[in-house]
Amino acid sequence: MKIKNELQPNEIDSSRMPVKLGSALRVPSYAYPAWGITGDEKWLREESDRQYEIEWKDGTEKQMQNVVAAITKSGLGDYSQKLRDSNASLVAEAVKKAEREVNYLELGAGVSTINVYNKLKSEGLDLQKLKGTLVEPSKERIETAAAKLEGLGLKLGRDFKIYAARDVDIPKFVEPNSQDIASYVAVVHHHADLDTPLRCVYNALAPGGKIIIADWHNAMWEHPNRVFELLKSGFDWPTKDDDLKAFVSKYTRALEHAPELSPLDAASNAHIGRFWQCYGKVEAEQKANGTFNPNDRLVMLEAHRPVERQNEVLQHVGYKKITSERLVPDAGILYVTQAWK
Ligand SMILES: C[S@@+](CC[C@H](N)C(=O)[O-])C[C@H]1O[C@@H](n2cnc3c(N)ncnc32)[C@H](O)[C@@H]1O
């Protein structure tokens, strides 16, 4: 898609860098002051959402494979699977307890959805008891997921529905108060502002319904100084001095010291720094062997945030009994969060 190569608002030219930085409108919106971002709130929200759409809409299966390749290279091997498994276990537990069909809404559906149905199968549960409404902006990926579910004996239309759409589009096709469980597996961090999507999901949930968020968390994108330090110490490229100057000139607080991090957040940032170094190598290999596809490119500046920041928004929207379980012992990088309507 041509637009991927055009410079976006609040973006510097990172075309010579080992990773594409993307627009700073993608960082958590509470960090906008640190990034020097100001403007009309409605425009900022819409433009930030558009920046994420540019990244994901035309992505293929390869986009996810690149993520997995970088995760594996960086030694975070089974982390994506840990998130999927934590969601699948909670969904299976609910299906087991339920006396009737369970309406299941998954946002950013894909491999994680297949994982859920496989878990039901492995537990000897009736797959048709889970009525999936599966939402994912990449048409190719949602259709691939549907084909895999049909391979498990389920029927599109009868047992599950698919929508090539975003979470914020669900009021157009999901009845209010209709869903028993709504899950996000490694997805909700694709929003600088979490309140709108989490409210859409809240409205779709039946009273007593549950949201499950299994996600990556870190504090890297809260301050340009953290990104500056990562670029400076973690990467080398021929035009590094000039590109770092451009970074500091656009994001002027990059040379300020960012606030101290808790040990869990510091460990999480170290992990995520390694991920991006390895992702840079994955792209470099593809460019060298001619398999690089710009539509599958990941964009570095992201809206991941420490889990406490996410949970503040859940509470603000109205969710109750919010609990987060850390999935790795030494870093605040993976959590599965549950909350109820
Ligand atoms: C890291 S992948 C995770 C996919 C899947 N849940 C899994 O764990 O295998 C993130 C997915 O979120 C999707 N996504 C991005 N923005 C979204 C949005 N606003 N609503 C729903 N899905 C979104 C992307 O297209 C991508 O497929």
Side-chain angles (χ1 to χ4, degrees), residues 49 52-53 56-57 63-64 67 80 83-84 106-113 135-138 141 165-168 184-191 197 216:
D49 274 354
Y52 277 101
E53 229 182 310
W56 290 107
K57 200 160 179 269
Q63 191 172 35
M64 288 307 301
V67 177
S80 301
L83 293 177
R84 294 181 190 129
E106 191 174 330
L107 298 314
V111 181
S112 47
T113 320
V135 179
E136 158 59 48
S138 156
R141 274 203 292 274
R166 299 166 308 161
D167 50 2
V168 289
Y184 276 107
V185 183
V187 172
V188 82
H189 60 258
H190 296 304
H191 289 286
W216 299 81

mmCIF file of all heavy atoms in Angstrom, residues 49 52-53 56-57 63-64 67 80 83-84 106-113 135-138 141 165-168 184-191 197 216, ligand 1:
data_model
loop_
_atom_site.group_PDB
_atom_site.id
_atom_site.type_symbol
_atom_site.label_atom_id
_atom_site.label_comp_id
_atom_site.label_asym_id
_atom_site.label_seq_id
_atom_site.Cartn_x
_atom_site.Cartn_y
_atom_site.Cartn_z
ATOM 1 N N ASP A 49 -5.620 6.232 15.383
ATOM 2 C CA ASP A 49 -6.239 4.977 14.919
ATOM 3 C C ASP A 49 -5.840 4.677 13.483
ATOM 4 O O ASP A 49 -5.562 3.533 13.121
ATOM 5 C CB ASP A 49 -7.778 5.094 14.959
ATOM 6 C CG ASP A 49 -8.328 4.740 16.331
ATOM 7 O OD1 ASP A 49 -7.530 4.305 17.190
ATOM 8 O OD2 ASP A 49 -9.543 4.912 16.541
ATOM 9 N N TYR A 52 -2.521 3.015 13.074
ATOM 10 C CA TYR A 52 -2.516 1.570 13.324
ATOM 11 C C TYR A 52 -3.129 0.801 12.160
ATOM 12 O O TYR A 52 -2.687 -0.286 11.811
ATOM 13 C CB TYR A 52 -3.244 1.252 14.638
ATOM 14 C CG TYR A 52 -2.319 1.422 15.816
ATOM 15 C CD1 TYR A 52 -2.366 2.547 16.610
ATOM 16 C CD2 TYR A 52 -1.351 0.468 16.086
ATOM 17 C CE1 TYR A 52 -1.487 2.713 17.663
ATOM 18 C CE2 TYR A 52 -0.464 0.626 17.127
ATOM 19 C CZ TYR A 52 -0.539 1.748 17.915
ATOM 20 O OH TYR A 52 0.340 1.895 18.945
ATOM 21 N N GLU A 53 -4.156 1.414 11.554
ATOM 22 C CA GLU A 53 -4.787 0.735 10.420
ATOM 23 C C GLU A 53 -3.793 0.568 9.270
ATOM 24 O O GLU A 53 -3.749 -0.477 8.627
ATOM 25 C CB GLU A 53 -5.969 1.582 9.953
ATOM 26 C CG GLU A 53 -7.210 0.757 9.782
ATOM 27 C CD GLU A 53 -8.338 1.602 9.268
ATOM 28 O OE1 GLU A 53 -8.580 2.684 9.852
ATOM 29 O OE2 GLU A 53 -8.971 1.166 8.294
ATOM 30 N N TRP A 56 -1.731 -2.575 9.928
ATOM 31 C CA TRP A 56 -2.288 -3.920 10.006
ATOM 32 C C TRP A 56 -3.207 -4.338 8.877
ATOM 33 O O TRP A 56 -3.351 -5.522 8.605
ATOM 34 C CB TRP A 56 -3.050 -4.098 11.327
ATOM 35 C CG TRP A 56 -2.127 -4.140 12.474
ATOM 36 C CD1 TRP A 56 -1.938 -3.158 13.400
ATOM 37 C CD2 TRP A 56 -1.231 -5.204 12.826
ATOM 38 N NE1 TRP A 56 -0.978 -3.551 14.289
ATOM 39 C CE2 TRP A 56 -0.533 -4.795 13.968
ATOM 40 C CE3 TRP A 56 -0.950 -6.458 12.276
ATOM 41 C CZ2 TRP A 56 0.422 -5.595 14.576
ATOM 42 C CZ3 TRP A 56 -0.005 -7.256 12.884
ATOM 43 C CH2 TRP A 56 0.669 -6.826 14.008
ATOM 44 N N LYS A 57 -3.849 -3.333 8.222
ATOM 45 C CA LYS A 57 -4.952 -3.694 7.331
ATOM 46 C C LYS A 57 -4.530 -4.629 6.189
ATOM 47 O O LYS A 57 -5.227 -5.585 5.892
ATOM 48 C CB LYS A 57 -5.573 -2.410 6.764
ATOM 49 C CG LYS A 57 -6.963 -2.604 6.234
ATOM 50 C CD LYS A 57 -7.680 -1.280 6.148
ATOM 51 C CE LYS A 57 -9.056 -1.479 5.584
ATOM 52 N NZ LYS A 57 -9.097 -1.343 4.157
ATOM 53 N N GLN A 63 3.279 -11.310 8.135
ATOM 54 C CA GLN A 63 3.477 -10.252 9.139
ATOM 55 C C GLN A 63 3.577 -10.890 10.527
ATOM 56 O O GLN A 63 4.457 -10.565 11.320
ATOM 57 C CB GLN A 63 2.303 -9.276 9.079
ATOM 58 C CG GLN A 63 2.516 -8.003 9.876
ATOM 59 C CD GLN A 63 1.403 -6.989 9.627
ATOM 60 O OE1 GLN A 63 0.236 -7.343 9.435
ATOM 61 N NE2 GLN A 63 1.758 -5.723 9.625
ATOM 62 N N MET A 64 2.688 -11.845 10.800
ATOM 63 C CA MET A 64 2.710 -12.531 12.096
ATOM 64 C C MET A 64 3.935 -13.439 12.193
ATOM 65 O O MET A 64 4.533 -13.573 13.247
ATOM 66 C CB MET A 64 1.438 -13.361 12.289
ATOM 67 C CG MET A 64 0.202 -12.549 12.531
ATOM 68 S SD MET A 64 0.383 -11.384 13.879
ATOM 69 C CE MET A 64 0.768 -12.500 15.213
ATOM 70 N N VAL A 67 6.841 -11.508 13.302
ATOM 71 C CA VAL A 67 6.782 -11.243 14.747
ATOM 72 C C VAL A 67 7.334 -12.469 15.484
ATOM 73 O O VAL A 67 8.196 -12.362 16.359
ATOM 74 C CB VAL A 67 5.330 -10.961 15.216
ATOM 75 C CG1 VAL A 67 5.269 -10.766 16.716
ATOM 76 C CG2 VAL A 67 4.756 -9.742 14.506
ATOM 77 N N SER A 80 4.329 -15.524 23.017
ATOM 78 C CA SER A 80 3.037 -15.335 22.320
ATOM 79 C C SER A 80 2.118 -16.498 22.660
ATOM 80 O O SER A 80 0.912 -16.321 22.875
ATOM 81 C CB SER A 80 3.220 -15.306 20.809
ATOM 82 O OG SER A 80 4.080 -14.277 20.462
ATOM 83 N N LEU A 83 0.490 -16.255 26.062
ATOM 84 C CA LEU A 83 -0.694 -15.384 26.067
ATOM 85 C C LEU A 83 -1.910 -16.138 25.526
ATOM 86 O O LEU A 83 -2.996 -16.100 26.097
ATOM 87 C CB LEU A 83 -0.446 -14.127 25.230
ATOM 88 C CG LEU A 83 0.597 -13.146 25.771
ATOM 89 C CD1 LEU A 83 0.800 -11.989 24.796
ATOM 90 C CD2 LEU A 83 0.174 -12.596 27.138
ATOM 91 N N ARG A 84 -1.680 -16.838 24.399
ATOM 92 C CA ARG A 84 -2.810 -17.564 23.792
ATOM 93 C C ARG A 84 -3.316 -18.644 24.739
ATOM 94 O O ARG A 84 -4.524 -18.839 24.888
ATOM 95 C CB ARG A 84 -2.362 -18.215 22.480
ATOM 96 C CG ARG A 84 -2.022 -17.203 21.430
ATOM 97 C CD ARG A 84 -1.620 -17.901 20.144
ATOM 98 N NE ARG A 84 -1.080 -16.938 19.218
ATOM 99 C CZ ARG A 84 0.081 -17.067 18.583
ATOM 100 N NH1 ARG A 84 0.819 -18.138 18.754
ATOM 101 N NH2 ARG A 84 0.495 -16.122 17.768
ATOM 102 N N GLU A 106 -14.088 -12.393 19.856
ATOM 103 C CA GLU A 106 -12.628 -12.226 19.912
ATOM 104 C C GLU A 106 -12.204 -11.107 18.976
ATOM 105 O O GLU A 106 -12.541 -11.071 17.798
ATOM 106 C CB GLU A 106 -11.878 -13.523 19.590
ATOM 107 C CG GLU A 106 -10.398 -13.313 19.939
ATOM 108 C CD GLU A 106 -9.512 -14.536 19.829
ATOM 109 O OE1 GLU A 106 -9.994 -15.662 20.031
ATOM 110 O OE2 GLU A 106 -8.314 -14.328 19.541
ATOM 111 N N LEU A 107 -11.462 -10.168 19.538
ATOM 112 C CA LEU A 107 -10.988 -9.004 18.796
ATOM 113 C C LEU A 107 -9.547 -9.266 18.381
ATOM 114 O O LEU A 107 -8.725 -9.633 19.225
ATOM 115 C CB LEU A 107 -11.042 -7.751 19.692
ATOM 116 C CG LEU A 107 -12.404 -7.269 20.232
ATOM 117 C CD1 LEU A 107 -13.464 -7.253 19.149
ATOM 118 C CD2 LEU A 107 -12.862 -8.007 21.458
ATOM 119 N N GLY A 108 -9.266 -9.096 17.080
ATOM 120 C CA GLY A 108 -7.932 -9.456 16.593
ATOM 121 C C GLY A 108 -7.796 -10.971 16.565
ATOM 122 O O GLY A 108 -6.799 -11.541 16.970
ATOM 123 N N ALA A 109 -8.861 -11.617 16.065
ATOM 124 C CA ALA A 109 -8.905 -13.090 16.062
ATOM 125 C C ALA A 109 -7.859 -13.645 15.089
ATOM 126 O O ALA A 109 -7.432 -12.965 14.163
ATOM 127 C CB ALA A 109 -10.299 -13.541 15.637
ATOM 128 N N GLY A 110 -7.457 -14.875 15.316
ATOM 129 C CA GLY A 110 -6.448 -15.488 14.441
ATOM 130 C C GLY A 110 -5.952 -16.773 15.057
ATOM 131 O O GLY A 110 -6.750 -17.617 15.481
ATOM 132 N N VAL A 111 -4.632 -16.879 15.172
ATOM 133 C CA VAL A 111 -4.047 -18.103 15.732
ATOM 134 C C VAL A 111 -4.595 -18.344 17.141
ATOM 135 O O VAL A 111 -4.860 -19.476 17.541
ATOM 136 C CB VAL A 111 -2.495 -17.984 15.756
ATOM 137 C CG1 VAL A 111 -1.869 -19.242 16.317
ATOM 138 C CG2 VAL A 111 -1.961 -17.696 14.365
ATOM 139 N N SER A 112 -4.779 -17.253 17.886
ATOM 140 C CA SER A 112 -5.296 -17.382 19.256
ATOM 141 C C SER A 112 -6.688 -18.017 19.278
ATOM 142 O O SER A 112 -7.050 -18.711 20.232
ATOM 143 C CB SER A 112 -5.333 -16.007 19.933
ATOM 144 O OG SER A 112 -5.917 -15.059 19.084
ATOM 145 N N THR A 113 -7.475 -17.781 18.243
ATOM 146 C CA THR A 113 -8.831 -18.344 18.182
ATOM 147 C C THR A 113 -8.775 -19.852 17.939
ATOM 148 O O THR A 113 -9.503 -20.622 18.572
ATOM 149 C CB THR A 113 -9.616 -17.687 17.019
ATOM 150 O OG1 THR A 113 -9.303 -16.308 16.985
ATOM 151 C CG2 THR A 113 -11.097 -17.892 17.168
ATOM 152 N N VAL A 135 -13.394 -11.042 14.995
ATOM 153 C CA VAL A 135 -13.204 -9.729 14.381
ATOM 154 C C VAL A 135 -11.710 -9.494 14.180
ATOM 155 O O VAL A 135 -10.929 -9.645 15.125
ATOM 156 C CB VAL A 135 -13.779 -8.640 15.333
ATOM 157 C CG1 VAL A 135 -13.595 -7.251 14.761
ATOM 158 C CG2 VAL A 135 -15.244 -8.919 15.636
ATOM 159 N N GLU A 136 -11.340 -9.145 12.947
ATOM 160 C CA GLU A 136 -9.909 -8.917 12.663
ATOM 161 C C GLU A 136 -9.823 -8.059 11.402
ATOM 162 O O GLU A 136 -10.434 -8.376 10.402
ATOM 163 C CB GLU A 136 -9.213 -10.290 12.474
ATOM 164 C CG GLU A 136 -7.909 -10.304 11.683
ATOM 165 C CD GLU A 136 -6.795 -9.444 12.248
ATOM 166 O OE1 GLU A 136 -6.518 -9.521 13.452
ATOM 167 O OE2 GLU A 136 -6.202 -8.664 11.469
ATOM 168 N N PRO A 137 -9.047 -6.946 11.456
ATOM 169 C CA PRO A 137 -9.026 -6.057 10.284
ATOM 170 C C PRO A 137 -8.366 -6.649 9.036
ATOM 171 O O PRO A 137 -8.689 -6.233 7.929
ATOM 172 C CB PRO A 137 -8.247 -4.826 10.772
ATOM 173 C CG PRO A 137 -7.638 -5.183 12.080
ATOM 174 C CD PRO A 137 -8.333 -6.389 12.609
ATOM 175 N N SER A 138 -7.452 -7.588 9.196
ATOM 176 C CA SER A 138 -6.831 -8.159 7.996
ATOM 177 C C SER A 138 -7.738 -9.251 7.435
ATOM 178 O O SER A 138 -7.957 -10.291 8.052
ATOM 179 C CB SER A 138 -5.445 -8.738 8.338
ATOM 180 O OG SER A 138 -5.104 -9.732 7.399
ATOM 181 N N ARG A 141 -6.115 -12.593 7.028
ATOM 182 C CA ARG A 141 -5.898 -13.381 8.249
ATOM 183 C C ARG A 141 -7.202 -13.957 8.814
ATOM 184 O O ARG A 141 -7.234 -15.076 9.290
ATOM 185 C CB ARG A 141 -5.155 -12.567 9.299
ATOM 186 C CG ARG A 141 -3.645 -12.648 9.118
ATOM 187 C CD ARG A 141 -2.917 -12.350 10.411
ATOM 188 N NE ARG A 141 -3.072 -10.973 10.809
ATOM 189 C CZ ARG A 141 -2.308 -9.976 10.392
ATOM 190 N NH1 ARG A 141 -1.329 -10.207 9.558
ATOM 191 N NH2 ARG A 141 -2.504 -8.750 10.809
ATOM 192 N N ALA A 165 -12.905 -6.398 10.296
ATOM 193 C CA ALA A 165 -13.220 -5.090 10.878
ATOM 194 C C ALA A 165 -12.371 -4.885 12.128
ATOM 195 O O ALA A 165 -11.630 -5.777 12.552
ATOM 196 C CB ALA A 165 -14.701 -5.051 11.245
ATOM 197 N N ARG A 166 -12.514 -3.699 12.710
ATOM 198 C CA ARG A 166 -11.767 -3.392 13.938
ATOM 199 C C ARG A 166 -12.679 -3.532 15.156
ATOM 200 O O ARG A 166 -13.906 -3.502 15.025
ATOM 201 C CB ARG A 166 -11.242 -1.943 13.883
ATOM 202 C CG ARG A 166 -10.297 -1.680 12.731
ATOM 203 C CD ARG A 166 -10.103 -0.195 12.540
ATOM 204 N NE ARG A 166 -11.407 0.465 12.432
ATOM 205 C CZ ARG A 166 -11.631 1.752 12.619
ATOM 206 N NH1 ARG A 166 -10.646 2.562 12.913
ATOM 207 N NH2 ARG A 166 -12.844 2.255 12.500
ATOM 208 N N ASP A 167 -12.075 -3.562 16.322
ATOM 209 C CA ASP A 167 -12.861 -3.639 17.552
ATOM 210 C C ASP A 167 -13.828 -2.458 17.678
ATOM 211 O O ASP A 167 -14.968 -2.628 18.095
ATOM 212 C CB ASP A 167 -11.935 -3.732 18.787
ATOM 213 C CG ASP A 167 -10.840 -2.677 18.810
ATOM 214 O OD1 ASP A 167 -10.795 -1.832 17.906
ATOM 215 O OD2 ASP A 167 -10.019 -2.699 19.757
ATOM 216 N N VAL A 168 -13.369 -1.267 17.267
ATOM 217 C CA VAL A 168 -14.235 -0.093 17.428
ATOM 218 C C VAL A 168 -15.424 -0.099 16.459
ATOM 219 O O VAL A 168 -16.333 0.717 16.577
ATOM 220 C CB VAL A 168 -13.433 1.234 17.273
ATOM 221 C CG1 VAL A 168 -12.521 1.447 18.461
ATOM 222 C CG2 VAL A 168 -12.652 1.267 15.968
ATOM 223 N N TYR A 184 -9.131 -10.282 24.009
ATOM 224 C CA TYR A 184 -8.084 -9.636 23.217
ATOM 225 C C TYR A 184 -6.793 -10.396 23.529
ATOM 226 O O TYR A 184 -6.344 -10.390 24.682
ATOM 227 C CB TYR A 184 -7.846 -8.225 23.734
ATOM 228 C CG TYR A 184 -8.724 -7.106 23.261
ATOM 229 C CD1 TYR A 184 -9.676 -6.545 24.106
ATOM 230 C CD2 TYR A 184 -8.534 -6.526 22.010
ATOM 231 C CE1 TYR A 184 -10.438 -5.447 23.712
ATOM 232 C CE2 TYR A 184 -9.290 -5.432 21.610
ATOM 233 C CZ TYR A 184 -10.234 -4.901 22.458
ATOM 234 O OH TYR A 184 -10.968 -3.809 22.064
ATOM 235 N N VAL A 185 -6.189 -11.018 22.542
ATOM 236 C CA VAL A 185 -4.893 -11.675 22.780
ATOM 237 C C VAL A 185 -3.835 -10.942 21.950
ATOM 238 O O VAL A 185 -3.843 -11.019 20.714
ATOM 239 C CB VAL A 185 -4.933 -13.178 22.403
ATOM 240 C CG1 VAL A 185 -3.592 -13.846 22.721
ATOM 241 C CG2 VAL A 185 -6.059 -13.890 23.140
ATOM 242 N N ALA A 186 -2.970 -10.221 22.638
ATOM 243 C CA ALA A 186 -1.905 -9.447 21.987
ATOM 244 C C ALA A 186 -2.460 -8.445 20.972
ATOM 245 O O ALA A 186 -1.939 -8.321 19.861
ATOM 246 C CB ALA A 186 -0.881 -10.375 21.327
ATOM 247 N N VAL A 187 -3.527 -7.770 21.326
ATOM 248 C CA VAL A 187 -4.204 -6.883 20.372
ATOM 249 C C VAL A 187 -4.488 -5.484 20.927
ATOM 250 O O VAL A 187 -4.300 -4.483 20.222
ATOM 251 C CB VAL A 187 -5.533 -7.520 19.895
ATOM 252 C CG1 VAL A 187 -6.341 -6.543 19.062
ATOM 253 C CG2 VAL A 187 -5.273 -8.787 19.090
ATOM 254 N N VAL A 188 -4.904 -5.388 22.187
ATOM 255 C CA VAL A 188 -5.447 -4.102 22.638
ATOM 256 C C VAL A 188 -4.378 -3.004 22.659
ATOM 257 O O VAL A 188 -4.695 -1.818 22.598
ATOM 258 C CB VAL A 188 -6.176 -4.248 24.000
ATOM 259 C CG1 VAL A 188 -5.235 -4.234 25.176
ATOM 260 C CG2 VAL A 188 -7.242 -3.166 24.155
ATOM 261 N N HIS A 189 -3.113 -3.414 22.626
ATOM 262 C CA HIS A 189 -2.046 -2.397 22.604
ATOM 263 C C HIS A 189 -1.969 -1.664 21.267
ATOM 264 O O HIS A 189 -1.088 -0.814 21.092
ATOM 265 C CB HIS A 189 -0.692 -3.045 22.935
ATOM 266 C CG HIS A 189 -0.308 -4.109 21.961
ATOM 267 N ND1 HIS A 189 -0.439 -5.447 22.229
ATOM 268 C CD2 HIS A 189 0.179 -4.040 20.699
ATOM 269 C CE1 HIS A 189 -0.037 -6.142 21.181
ATOM 270 N NE2 HIS A 189 0.337 -5.308 20.241
ATOM 271 N N HIS A 190 -2.862 -1.982 20.340
ATOM 272 C CA HIS A 190 -2.886 -1.243 19.075
ATOM 273 C C HIS A 190 -3.763 -0.002 19.157
ATOM 274 O O HIS A 190 -4.374 0.401 18.174
ATOM 275 C CB HIS A 190 -3.384 -2.140 17.936
ATOM 276 C CG HIS A 190 -2.494 -3.296 17.661
ATOM 277 N ND1 HIS A 190 -1.165 -3.151 17.365
ATOM 278 C CD2 HIS A 190 -2.725 -4.626 17.664
ATOM 279 C CE1 HIS A 190 -0.617 -4.338 17.187
ATOM 280 N NE2 HIS A 190 -1.544 -5.243 17.372
ATOM 281 N N HIS A 191 -3.850 0.566 20.349
ATOM 282 C CA HIS A 191 -4.642 1.788 20.527
ATOM 283 C C HIS A 191 -3.902 2.752 21.442
ATOM 284 O O HIS A 191 -3.559 2.383 22.570
ATOM 285 C CB HIS A 191 -5.974 1.477 21.213
ATOM 286 C CG HIS A 191 -6.936 0.733 20.363
ATOM 287 N ND1 HIS A 191 -7.626 1.316 19.315
ATOM 288 C CD2 HIS A 191 -7.348 -0.551 20.407
ATOM 289 C CE1 HIS A 191 -8.424 0.411 18.758
ATOM 290 N NE2 HIS A 191 -8.263 -0.724 19.397
ATOM 291 N N PRO A 197 -12.263 1.640 22.504
ATOM 292 C CA PRO A 197 -12.455 0.203 22.247
ATOM 293 C C PRO A 197 -12.965 -0.558 23.473
ATOM 294 O O PRO A 197 -13.842 -1.426 23.340
ATOM 295 C CB PRO A 197 -11.058 -0.297 21.852
ATOM 296 C CG PRO A 197 -10.107 0.772 22.226
ATOM 297 C CD PRO A 197 -10.868 2.051 22.207
ATOM 298 N N TRP A 216 1.098 -8.123 25.996
ATOM 299 C CA TRP A 216 2.457 -7.667 26.281
ATOM 300 C C TRP A 216 2.351 -6.290 26.934
ATOM 301 O O TRP A 216 1.558 -5.451 26.483
ATOM 302 C CB TRP A 216 3.240 -7.483 24.988
ATOM 303 C CG TRP A 216 3.427 -8.694 24.145
ATOM 304 C CD1 TRP A 216 2.522 -9.225 23.265
ATOM 305 C CD2 TRP A 216 4.588 -9.516 24.084
ATOM 306 N NE1 TRP A 216 3.069 -10.331 22.661
ATOM 307 C CE2 TRP A 216 4.333 -10.531 23.138
ATOM 308 C CE3 TRP A 216 5.834 -9.494 24.721
ATOM 309 C CZ2 TRP A 216 5.261 -11.509 22.821
ATOM 310 C CZ3 TRP A 216 6.756 -10.465 24.403
ATOM 311 C CH2 TRP A 216 6.474 -11.465 23.470
HETATM 312 C C1 LIG B 1 -0.001 -9.641 17.454
HETATM 313 S S1 LIG B 1 -1.390 -10.016 16.476
HETATM 314 C C2 LIG B 1 -2.285 -11.161 17.495
HETATM 315 C C3 LIG B 1 -3.236 -12.016 16.704
HETATM 316 C C4 LIG B 1 -3.961 -13.124 17.496
HETATM 317 N N1 LIG B 1 -4.816 -12.570 18.537
HETATM 318 C C5 LIG B 1 -2.986 -14.118 18.100
HETATM 319 O O1 LIG B 1 -2.658 -13.983 19.289
HETATM 320 O O2 LIG B 1 -2.575 -15.009 17.390
HETATM 321 C C6 LIG B 1 -2.303 -8.535 16.569
HETATM 322 C C7 LIG B 1 -3.541 -8.534 15.692
HETATM 323 O O3 LIG B 1 -4.358 -7.420 16.084
HETATM 324 C C8 LIG B 1 -5.026 -6.982 14.932
HETATM 325 N N2 LIG B 1 -5.550 -5.619 15.169
HETATM 326 C C9 LIG B 1 -4.898 -4.438 15.062
HETATM 327 N N3 LIG B 1 -5.723 -3.408 15.372
HETATM 328 C C10 LIG B 1 -6.932 -3.976 15.661
HETATM 329 C C11 LIG B 1 -8.204 -3.434 16.036
HETATM 330 N N4 LIG B 1 -8.387 -2.107 16.182
HETATM 331 N N5 LIG B 1 -9.228 -4.285 16.256
HETATM 332 C C12 LIG B 1 -9.056 -5.622 16.127
HETATM 333 N N6 LIG B 1 -7.860 -6.181 15.775
HETATM 334 C C13 LIG B 1 -6.813 -5.374 15.554
HETATM 335 C C14 LIG B 1 -3.956 -7.060 13.866
HETATM 336 O O4 LIG B 1 -4.481 -7.068 12.562
HETATM 337 C C15 LIG B 1 -3.249 -8.370 14.226
HETATM 338 O O5 LIG B 1 -3.771 -9.445 13.518
#
